[in-house]
Amino acid sequence: QVQLQESGPGLVKPSQTLSLTCTVSGDSITTNYYDWSWIRQPPGKGLEWMGAVDYSGNTYYGPSLKSRTSISRDTTKNQFTLQLVSVTPEDTAVYYCARWRRGGPLTNDFGSWGRGTQVTVSS
């Protein structure tokens, strides 16, 4: 059974970098053919896919956040990381990490998700 756990600071100041780590157990992040994604949900808004790193290390980003987003992985720790630079209060959201099989969302299979972590951007 795969488990994902988000971790990182719950409070970030404006203009700083938001950094979160997803720790994975029960599966390797190099396993074919899975994508390892970050998704967020601001208060009162819908889910927004931020980006992903796939099983071979390739990265992909959503169009609205790609200029500020960086996703990386550490295969020795079985972790992948989100960095969002130059944050503003509009980046306040619950942040989730998730695993899904390549193409899964196209068939409404959204895989396994972490519990999510609240991140507030405020001075």
Side-chain angles (χ1 to χ4, degrees):
Q1 181 180 2
V2 63
Q3 293 182 315
L4 297 87
Q5 177 67 62
E6 304 90 348
S7 62
L11 180 64
V12 183
K13 294 181 178 180
S15 80
Q16 293 186 338
T17 297
L18 184 159
S19 297
L20 296 173
T21 297
C22 185
T23 300
V24 178
S25 62
D27 192 21
S28 171
I29 61 174
T30 65
T31 298
N32 298 355
Y33 294 92
Y34 287 104
D35 296 322
W36 305 85
S37 292
W38 288 99
I39 309 97
R40 72 177 186 179
Q41 186 169 34
K45 298 182 179 180
L47 296 168
E48 180 181 25
W49 178 75
M50 303 181 69
V53 57
D54 73 11
Y55 55 92
S56 62
N58 302 122
T59 53
Y60 310 88
Y61 299 101
S64 65
L65 294 171
K66 63 182 179 181
S67 65
R68 296 195 292 132
T69 305
S70 180
I71 295 171
S72 60
R73 69 176 187 171
D74 186 336
T75 58
T76 65
K77 297 180 179 179
N78 211 38
Q79 296 176 331
F80 62 104
T81 301
L82 170 72
Q83 291 188 309
L84 183 67
V85 304
S86 302
V87 299
T88 73
E90 293 184 350
D91 293 310
T92 294
V94 177
Y95 286 77
Y96 301 90
C97 58
R99 181 201 73 170
W100 55 63
R101 184 171 293 278
R102 174 170 288 183
L106 298 177
T107 59
N108 292 321
D109 180 2
F110 290 94
S112 299
W113 291 46
R115 294 174 297 174
T117 186
Q118 172 71 43
V119 180
T120 299
V121 179
S122 176
S123 61

